[in-house]
Amino acid sequence: MISHLPKKPKNKEGKYKDTINIALAGNPNVGKSVIFNQLTGLSQTIGNWPGKTVERMEGYLDFLGYYFNIVDLPGIYSLSTYSLEEIVSREYIVSDDVDLIINVIDATNLERNLFFTFQLLELKVPMILAINQMDILRKRKIELDFEELERIFKLPVLPVVAVHGIGVHQLLEKAIKIVESWTPLKKEFEFPELTSILSFGKEVETKIKDLTTEINKNQDYISDFHYPSRFLAIKLLEDDDEIIKIFESGEKVRSNIEIAKNYRKELEDYHGEDINTIISSEIYNNIHKIIEKVVHIKSKEKVKKTSLADRVDHLTTHSFWGYVILAVVIFGIYAFTFTVGDFLGGLLEGLYEDLSITVYDTYGEDNIWVKILWNGGVGGFFGAVGGVLVYVIPFFLIIEILQDSGYLPRAAFLMDRVMHVMGVHGKTIIPMILGLGCNVPACAGCRIMETEREKKISVVLSSLVPCAAVMTVVMGLVGRYLGLFWLLFLFTINFSVILLVGRVLNKTMPGVCTELIMEMHEYRVPNYSVISKQTWLRSKEFIYKALPLIIVLGITLEILLQLRALDPINIVLAPITVFWLGLPIVTGVFLIYGILRKELTLVLLAILASSMGLTLLELMTPIQMIVFCLVTMLYVPCFATVVIIAKQTNWKYALQISLMEITVALLIGGLIHFGYIFFTTL
Amino acid sequence: MIRSMHKKSHGHRNGHKRRGTPLIKCLTECDKGEEVRVLNVNAGYGAKRRLAHLGIVPGVKILKKKSAPFRGPIEIFVKGTKLVLGRGIASKILVECNETCSF
């Protein structure tokens, strides 16, 4: 997932009145992506924030003559520096690319959601509050006083039922009204003064005001960073490392750090708590006051019925059944992926064989162009589509369902203890489960880890998880020809290696394991449109990036085979492949190709076998298959994974890891080969 | 661990007057389904800030839901959401229970 910025459709002369840039912000799981999908439909792109490993969802929409550019920000709880997502979000919101924010708020959980709203307020960007899940609130007979909310926040507040698309387009109508009310110079927008209910207690507020005045003395320098000075003052008080960096960079403003430090100390002494506790408590107190004013509970009776979601939650976090279910889920991911994949792959294979016969009949089987273009190009295409794509799509589908339903945090809860053995906390299980499909998003997903140390360990663990590509190789060889027992044998070795590597990394890497702090949101029925669109977007990326590569490589390989150019490489690698691993000599170059994409090892092997008129079982002995699969499973992660590991950590580390994994793979492969020879000669 | 710690000022809650001083434990020691009030978070800067942003500040009510087996993390209910806390961090959160110290 190399970073790429989405193409913007051109605003044809006079077609649109104006472009309105909107950022959707809010806590995780409040229905942000549902609203995003309702608004932008299929015209959306997944990319990366420039230079960052955070995913950027962007979409476009033509509405009432305006051109809307909507960015779905990652779900976060605050605007501190806890994660990269928080930093990316706050930097983006204050940049010139945003005209207004839509803050999506879950009506059923105002307390926590409004905390984030309070943080957004300090960024002084025009904002609309969208209160989602109003239907559930109504069902619980709870009323929300929208007029009071608007009066308190001095912002438009709108009810939304995102899943049914109710109120979603009204958000944009409101946005248009706001934009049209601006003077021709947008930047002259005046953000309303904070009412007393929105500001901090007297002591904190005075310190913030004093500090703001101090900061404003160097307005010209500070304005380059786009943040409002009050926000900077609060963050300086909170000892926010990113903001401190800004102040350290300027000669004139450096003194503010010292002032903030003194203020902080005064406040901490006065309240007897640390600054973050003071500020958070005051915000939560204000929220409490707001909720008392705006929430009216109509029905006295409490809903005591345990819902289905609660029961599922209880079962999936149960100390025995939870693990059983986790095992079933992991098995289910593979089972679903491969049942669907095998079925579709079989259809395509049949089609290719039928077509091949026609082509051979027409042009002759020994025609060199037939070999290069048909066997190499078209064969490669069918190999990629029928051997890989048919597995990738169902996998993405099932992962999206797991993600959207809310199962993954449960797995983290259950696995936290085991993960501590490897020096990371439970959340690592999430990228590892993603790794069952593809190691690239898995390693990218390791950004959810909080510290450098955990990130470093997590990327290694995730890169060792057998991905769908590796699975196609293993299923296509061992699964197809040798059966379930040997499949389990391979997986046992693979997962033992993961555990062992994690253990060693934990022991050798300096630092200690941090602790899990994670929200576990309620289960919900996955949203059909979000899932289908996400699946499609992710598959599209695969189609555009991997398919052309596979076809080109297929043709190149066929040409090389025809020219007998592969022999030297194979001979150089022969001591390793033939002597140490006991594999056929041709596999040397395939293993090299496998670095590009692991499934190529099997795809190319199949192409070779078919060009020689053999089946795979005639090409390789069972023990060779086992060794070949094992080496493919464990040796250097594919090229894209190495790149993403380097991006998450650094190139030196990525290369070290690759070398380590090659060594482990060769070691185990050799042991099995010689072990087999030893036992058969006994 | 800290079972014998006393703090007088937190004696009466919810208008109920009770005799004795409330029992203080760390969150890991609480029973399933016990509702407690946070007294102090004894963690480092980063973890403390994170917990504060999630609403775990002194005075807040927490409901302990369950804990994972093999000394795993614990699940709590606070400010309308379920949170999972690793055992290490949970043991640094001091809470005041509904029961009182026995004499």
Side-chain angles (χ1 to χ4, degrees):
Chain A
M1 324 251 141
I2 293 134
S3 114
H4 61 87
L5 285 171
K7 279 178 236 121
K8 288 187 184 182
K10 283 195 189 85
N11 183 4
K12 282 185 199 122
E13 205 66 37
K15 192 178 169 201
Y16 304 111
K17 281 187 241 171
D18 203 352
T19 306
I20 302 176
N21 300 297
I22 289 181
L24 283 175
N27 284 11
N29 303 306
V30 291
K32 235 158 27 72
S33 23
V34 182
I35 292 182
F36 180 66
N37 271 307
Q38 296 274 7
L39 288 178
T40 58
L42 269 177
S43 52
Q44 40 179 267
T45 45
I46 302 186
N48 267 21
W49 291 90
K52 300 274 167 56
T53 45
V54 177
E55 215 164 61
R56 178 189 171 113
M57 299 282 299
E58 196 164 4
Y60 308 95
L61 162 79
D62 180 357
F63 185 69
L64 295 181
Y66 280 91
Y67 179 73
F68 282 88
N69 174 25
I70 301 170
V71 169
D72 186 12
L73 290 171
I76 46 179
Y77 297 103
S78 80
L79 291 170
S80 58
T81 54
Y82 176 73
S83 65
L84 212 51
E85 281 151 351
E86 295 187 351
I87 300 174
V88 165
S89 298
R90 73 182 190 190
E91 280 174 0
Y92 180 70
I93 289 172
V94 293
S95 74
D96 290 334
D97 298 341
V98 178
D99 294 326
L100 56 89
I101 319 172
I102 294 177
N103 177 205
V104 184
I105 291 169
D106 181 354
T108 62
N109 193 358
L110 281 179
E111 217 173 352
R112 191 181 299 293
N113 281 256
L114 286 179
F115 183 83
F116 185 59
T117 310
F118 267 74
Q119 308 244 318
L120 285 175
L121 280 176
E122 298 292 355
L123 292 176
K124 301 226 185 316
V125 177
M127 184 154 73
I128 298 172
L129 303 186
I131 314 271
N132 189 19
Q133 307 229 37
M134 283 308 293
D135 51 334
I136 297 179
L137 217 60
R138 264 176 225 133
K139 229 180 264 168
R140 292 185 192 165
K141 300 223 166 58
I142 298 172
E143 269 176 22
L144 255 189
D145 189 342
F146 279 81
E147 283 166 22
E148 186 64 31
L149 270 174
E150 291 196 339
R151 212 168 27 246
I152 292 169
F153 284 102
K154 294 186 181 164
L155 293 171
V157 186
L158 296 173
V160 172
V161 184
V163 277
H164 302 307
I166 300 169
V168 171
H169 285 90
Q170 278 81 333
L171 292 171
L172 297 189
E173 282 168 18
K174 198 75 187 177
I176 293 174
K177 256 189 209 151
I178 294 175
V179 172
E180 284 177 347
S181 73
W182 288 340
T183 49
L185 289 166
K186 270 186 209 169
K187 296 296 152 201
E188 282 179 14
F189 175 78
E190 280 277 327
F191 207 82
E193 273 293 302
L194 295 178
T195 40
S196 69
I197 202 166
L198 297 182
S199 41
F200 296 105
K202 207 177 84 211
E203 293 81 20
V204 180
E205 198 64 40
T206 350
K207 297 288 180 229
I208 292 174
K209 285 214 171 101
D210 289 354
L211 199 54
T212 314
T213 328
E214 238 5 92
I215 291 169
N216 274 337
K217 285 180 188 161
N218 293 301
Q219 187 79 49
D220 47 326
Y221 180 79
I222 288 304
S223 61
D224 286 352
F225 298 98
H226 299 282
Y227 291 113
S229 6
R230 185 184 153 87
F231 179 80
L232 289 173
I234 297 173
K235 290 294 155 187
L236 264 189
L237 265 187
E238 284 179 0
D239 204 8
D240 180 298
D241 31 353
E242 289 289 316
I243 300 299
I244 295 225
K245 268 185 219 156
I246 291 182
F247 281 86
E248 273 171 351
S249 68
E251 203 62 54
K252 282 186 282 179
V253 288
R254 202 166 296 160
S255 60
N256 289 332
I257 303 175
E258 203 54 37
I259 301 173
K261 204 172 153 191
N262 290 333
Y263 284 174
R264 179 163 62 242
K265 195 161 177 315
E266 276 175 46
L267 285 175
E268 287 182 345
D269 287 347
Y270 181 83
H271 285 271
E273 289 288 349
D274 83 309
I275 190 73
N276 285 306
T277 311
I278 301 170
I279 289 184
S280 302
S281 304
E282 293 199 349
I283 295 179
Y284 273 114
N285 280 340
N286 289 344
I287 293 172
H288 192 73
K289 281 182 219 152
I290 294 175
I291 288 178
E292 278 191 340
K293 281 193 175 183
V294 299
V295 177
H296 305 293
I297 302 166
K298 287 285 160 204
S299 118
K300 282 274 154 39
E301 59 198 287
K302 264 200 163 173
V303 197
K304 267 277 167 186
K305 211 175 65 189
T306 41
S307 62
L308 180 68
D310 287 337
R311 260 176 283 167
V312 175
D313 174 60
H314 180 69
L315 211 59
T316 45
T317 53
H318 190 269
S319 29
F320 174 73
W321 292 110
Y323 292 96
V324 175
I325 292 170
L326 180 63
V328 170
V329 165
I330 290 178
F331 180 76
I333 293 174
Y334 277 140
F336 177 76
T337 308
F338 283 95
T339 333
V340 178
D342 281 344
F343 173 70
L344 295 176
L347 289 183
L348 282 169
E349 202 178 326
L351 180 70
Y352 176 65
E353 273 163 19
D354 290 346
L355 286 175
S356 291
I357 293 169
T358 333
V359 172
Y360 293 153
D361 284 350
T362 330
Y363 299 102
E365 203 170 332
D366 290 326
N367 186 327
I368 183 142
W369 290 111
V370 167
K371 277 195 168 160
I372 291 174
L373 290 179
W374 184 260
N375 292 358
V378 183
F381 173 78
F382 271 93
V385 174
V388 186
L389 190 63
V390 291
Y391 299 101
V392 168
I393 294 177
F395 174 78
F396 281 146
L397 181 71
I398 198 160
I399 283 295
E400 286 303 330
I401 293 174
L402 283 178
Q403 206 144 28
D404 204 49
S405 67
Y407 179 71
L408 293 180
R410 269 80 186 175
F413 173 72
L414 290 173
M415 295 301 287
D416 185 59
R417 185 70 194 85
V418 182
M419 289 303 170
H420 270 285
V421 173
M422 296 179 271
V424 283
H425 60 61
K427 264 197 219 167
T428 310
I429 198 73
I430 297 174
M432 282 175 81
I433 289 178
L434 292 183
L436 296 172
C438 177
N439 290 167
V440 178
C443 288
C446 289
R447 61 167 178 259
I448 62 169
M449 305 312 293
E450 290 87 5
T451 64
E452 204 56 33
R453 180 180 191 266
E454 284 172 317
K455 217 184 261 181
K456 277 186 165 178
I457 298 178
S458 303
V459 286
V460 180
L461 301 181
S462 309
S463 76
L464 281 170
V465 172
C467 67
V470 168
M471 281 302 289
T472 50
V473 180
V474 176
M475 294 293 281
L477 281 172
V478 172
R480 191 159 163 196
Y481 295 108
L482 304 180
L484 190 66
F485 175 78
W486 291 106
L487 223 88
L488 288 178
F489 173 75
L490 287 180
F491 281 119
T492 314
I493 293 185
N494 196 150
F495 285 105
S496 313
V497 167
I498 293 179
L499 212 70
L500 218 75
V501 168
R503 189 85 197 125
V504 171
L505 284 177
N506 186 23
K507 287 276 172 215
T508 52
M509 215 173 273
V512 284
C513 180
T514 54
E515 289 287 333
L516 181 69
I517 304 177
M518 170 186 77
E519 191 194 334
M520 206 140 87
H521 72 85
E522 297 290 326
Y523 275 113
R524 57 164 175 239
V525 180
N527 184 285
Y528 160 76
S529 84
V530 172
I531 285 175
S532 53
K533 274 164 201 155
Q534 287 279 343
T535 309
W536 165 238
L537 279 173
R538 289 183 198 282
S539 311
K540 195 169 78 179
E541 187 152 339
F542 173 84
I543 295 169
Y544 287 161
K545 288 193 180 141
L547 269 192
L549 180 74
I550 293 176
I551 295 168
V552 170
L553 282 179
I555 295 179
T556 327
L557 181 76
E558 199 61 39
I559 294 173
L560 290 177
L561 275 176
Q562 292 304 320
L563 297 174
R564 303 205 148 275
L566 290 184
D567 301 356
I569 302 175
N570 284 333
I571 289 166
V572 173
L573 290 174
I576 295 172
T577 49
V578 179
F579 171 71
W580 179 248
L581 297 174
L583 295 175
I585 191 160
V586 285
T587 52
V589 81
F590 294 163
L591 288 175
I592 298 278
Y593 270 121
I595 298 175
L596 284 174
R597 297 194 64 82
K598 288 213 168 171
E599 69 275 6
L600 281 181
T601 51
L602 177 67
V603 174
L604 297 179
L605 208 63
I607 294 174
L608 179 82
S610 76
S611 74
M612 286 162 69
L614 298 170
T615 67
L616 287 169
L617 202 57
E618 289 165 321
L619 197 73
M620 278 178 149
T621 64
I623 189 69
Q624 281 178 332
M625 280 187 183
I626 290 172
V627 173
F628 185 74
C629 284
L630 205 79
V631 172
T632 313
M633 276 170 128
L634 295 176
Y635 85 128
V636 61
C638 71
F639 186 66
T641 309
V642 179
V643 173
I644 209 87
I645 293 180
K647 270 187 153 185
Q648 293 284 344
T649 57
N650 54 55
W651 272 105
K652 192 181 156 208
Y653 187 71
L655 293 177
Q656 276 174 351
I657 291 308
S658 311
L659 264 177
M660 182 274 292
E661 290 184 11
I662 293 176
T663 320
V664 170
L666 291 183
L667 202 71
I668 296 178
L671 280 178
I672 290 181
H673 170 223
F674 285 109
Y676 175 76
I677 292 175
F678 180 72
F679 278 112
T680 43
T681 48
L682 268 183
Chain B
M1 226 166 131
I2 332 137
R3 275 172 197 275
S4 55
M5 269 179 71
H6 293 227
K7 203 165 184 181
K8 279 178 187 162
S9 56
H10 291 271
H12 316 295
R13 258 193 332 273
N14 310 332
H16 298 297
K17 287 196 173 180
R18 283 178 324 199
R19 278 160 191 274
T21 37
L23 189 61
I24 293 169
K25 311 178 188 175
C26 53
L27 195 51
T28 42
E29 292 174 312
C30 299
D31 297 322
K32 238 182 167 168
E34 203 176 335
E35 198 185 32
V36 293
R37 188 181 285 260
V38 177
L39 261 186
N40 189 18
V41 181
N42 235 337
Y45 173 82
K48 202 166 175 171
R49 180 178 68 178
R50 177 70 170 163
L51 291 175
H53 287 170
L54 289 169
I56 303 178
V57 285
V60 162
K61 271 189 198 161
I62 288 183
L63 177 71
K64 179 162 173 180
K65 302 271 290 188
K66 59 166 73 170
S67 59
F70 320 118
R71 298 185 52 76
I74 65 157
E75 183 191 326
I76 58 167
F77 189 78
V78 62
K79 300 266 177 209
T81 39
K82 281 184 211 152
L83 286 183
V84 174
L85 303 177
R87 190 160 282 262
I89 193 83
S91 66
K92 287 174 185 153
I93 300 174
L94 280 190
V95 295
E96 186 192 271
C97 309
N98 271 331
E99 48 185 317
T100 50
C101 293
S102 47
F103 291 98

